[in-house]
Amino acid sequence: MTTSKQFIPHGKHLIAGHWVAGADSFASAPAHEPSHRFSVGTPAHVDAAVQAAELAFETYGMSSRADRAAFLNAIADEIEARAEAITLIGTQETGLPEARLQGERGRTTGQLRLFASHILAGDYLDRRHDLAQPERKPLPRPDMKMVQRPIGPVAVFGASNFPLAFSTAGGDTAAALAAGCPVVVKGHSAHPGTGEIVAEAIHAAIARCSLPVGVFSLVQGGRRDVGEALVQHPLIKAVGFTGSLVGGRALFDLCAARAEPIPFFGELGSVNPMFLLPGAVAARGAEIAKGWAGSLTMGAGQFCTNPGVAVVMDGPNADAFVAATTAALDQVGAQTMLTDAIAQAYRSGQARIANSDGVQEVLATQCGGREATPYLYETTGQAWLTNPSLGEEVFGPLGLVVRVSDADQMRAVARSLHGQLTCTLHMDEGDTAQVQVLAPILERKAGRVLVNGFPTGVEVADTMVHGGPYPASTNFGATSVGTLSIRRFLRPVCYQNAPDAILPQDIRSA
């Protein structure tokens, strides 16, 4: 077991319980400290991992909830046993501060333990029983029992912006394992060492719980053909993905084009607009501005729930809000972004906004290399409504203020939105009448509607919905955070007139 603070990656894939090298390798590009070499994944590695997952499903898919809960808790234990080493290599690879990595590790282990408790309770199984009615006329009714059952091997793509909570042992992996589905993870090349040490923790938990080795595999890096081979493998039954709209949509289309189409649960990001009602802006505009600046720049703005747009009614209170936001953002220095490519994409997005018709610069900064600094722009409601590109995500600490002329135009802006992960309302009691008209519009646009808060805080809980209408996610009926996320990797099965001896344990008679 790795317990020291220093972790030196060996750079191999974990496939069916074995650490496997490849013919080719790539060098990691850490924010600081030494680079390491990692094997490049291939379609052959994918096939070996998926074949092992299918074999493991024959027993893991039939395992008890108690055994799976013990496994989830064991993974959490093994991650905590490597806590310092995970934090060190995570900060080296991503440039994220130690406190952020420590908090993300706690979220990762916390959701594993929450899912363990949740499946032990059994409510997620949605068990139903229609008793037989042999005397019913004109036809008797059979005895029918229904329960949710695991679907089979699941593919998970590691996310660039969350090396722990949305990657190797993150929410998608935890949900699939809780459901009874083996997992094959395609590691993200932005943090391969972090992925490797977490895979070591899962590998140790598999041995500790005497589970089939194919229940989890990690294929590192790889070119586009690795991801394509994974989602197109005939034994994969669902995909979990957090990433860009372009990459996610390409994989979604591949899943839909398969001989057997499968669900692609993609979380693709959004601009997460905030709607500032007049009473709230008049009473506490400066406070809202300060909170927005903090949320906008948290983690260099590299959150899928980053609130990139603020919609406010034009006038003196809007002027004061923009001035307070500018002052708060002006105090934020340069931050290291997760990868060079993400930093370049941020600069491209900033240039797109800056050069859009009807957009005025409020706060301009300079950033280069792998660093990001905040920018602030403003536009009118009319310009927003005539230029759809203003509603496209800029992944980083860039804010856009949309000054609307009145309540009608604010509602028009709301109606113009594409699907969002979140929409936020800042309101006081006097704004209630306007919000009663606005809220039903936003409910159709987002998976989570907040009041007087900021969306860059996603609780792992029973009620959380982290998803939304397309393009925020590819399945509006699902969430990638919270206990409801387990439901993605289950399907209902009805057993008619079946004796207890052949039923799954979860639905046998007491």
Side-chain angles (χ1 to χ4, degrees), residues 11-310:
K12 298 178 181 179
H13 315 287
L14 176 62
I15 299 176
H18 301 284
W19 292 102
V20 179
D24 297 326
S25 65
F26 69 95
S28 63
H32 53 83
E33 303 298 336
S35 173
H36 301 283
R37 298 205 69 82
F38 295 86
S39 293
V40 175
T42 66
H45 289 130
V46 168
D47 182 62
V50 177
Q51 294 286 352
E54 175 66 16
L55 183 61
F57 183 62
E58 295 178 4
T59 52
Y60 188 70
M62 306 299 129
S63 62
S64 70
R65 286 178 282 130
D67 285 346
R68 296 200 302 277
F71 178 40
L72 295 174
N73 283 321
I75 296 172
D77 290 344
E78 295 292 344
I79 289 174
E80 292 296 353
R82 295 159 173 79
E84 290 188 0
I86 289 172
T87 298
L88 179 59
I89 194 162
T91 56
Q92 290 174 351
E93 290 186 321
T94 66
L96 295 171
E98 284 190 12
R100 158 69 191 276
L101 267 296
Q102 291 163 351
E104 192 180 331
R105 188 186 70 248
R107 170 177 167 164
T108 303
T109 57
Q111 70 187 356
L112 286 162
R113 298 190 194 283
L114 173 64
F115 288 3
S117 299
H118 184 74
I119 63 172
L120 284 176
D123 294 343
Y124 77 104
L125 294 168
D126 192 18
R127 289 172 283 202
R128 306 181 185 200
H129 186 190
D130 288 313
L131 293 170
Q133 295 179 355
E135 306 303 323
R136 191 183 70 171
K137 304 297 182 181
L139 294 173
R141 186 176 77 180
D143 182 271
M144 295 180 291
K145 296 178 179 177
M146 189 275 282
V147 67
Q148 302 288 340
R149 299 296 294 153
I151 59 173
V154 169
V156 171
F157 285 72
S160 63
N161 59 334
F162 279 89
L164 299 175
F166 280 91
S167 290
T168 310
D172 289 339
T173 297
L177 293 176
C181 300
V183 172
V184 178
V185 170
K186 180 185 180 296
H188 200 288
S189 57
H191 41 76
T194 309
E196 181 183 306
I197 190 172
V198 174
E200 281 195 355
I202 300 174
H203 182 47
I206 289 171
R208 177 171 152 187
C209 296
S210 301
L211 294 176
V213 292
V215 76
F216 174 85
S217 291
L218 169 70
V219 179
Q220 288 280 25
R223 304 175 183 90
R224 181 176 298 179
D225 60 346
V226 173
E228 293 175 350
L230 188 54
V231 302
Q232 292 180 305
H233 198 290
L235 296 177
I236 289 293
K237 298 304 179 184
V239 179
F241 175 89
T242 298
S244 70
L245 174 59
V246 173
R249 182 55 196 251
L251 294 173
F252 172 86
D253 290 343
L254 288 176
C255 287
R258 287 175 31 144
E260 178 200 357
I262 59 172
F264 179 86
F265 298 105
E267 189 271 281
L268 309 179
S270 60
V271 298
N272 305 292
M274 305 189 310
F275 290 80
L276 283 59
L277 281 298
V281 179
R284 46 193 173 84
E287 177 187 339
I288 297 171
K290 184 177 179 181
W292 183 34
S295 184
L296 188 67
T297 60
M298 182 186 297
Q302 299 170 118
F303 289 89
C304 45
T305 54
N306 187 32
V309 173

Side-chain angles (χ1 to χ4, degrees), residues 22 36 61 95 108 169 242 274 280 297 314 348 359 418 452 495 508:
H36 301 283
T108 303
T242 298
M274 305 189 310
T297 60
D314 199 10
S348 296
V359 172
H418 297 299
N452 294 336
Y495 296 87
R508 291 181 185 176

Side-chain angles (χ1 to χ4, degrees), residues 374-395:
Y375 290 83
L376 184 65
Y377 297 92
E378 65 178 22
T379 190
T380 64
Q382 185 59 37
W384 170 279
L385 292 171
T386 57
N387 185 359
S389 72
L390 295 178
E392 296 175 7
E393 181 182 28
V394 178
F395 195 62

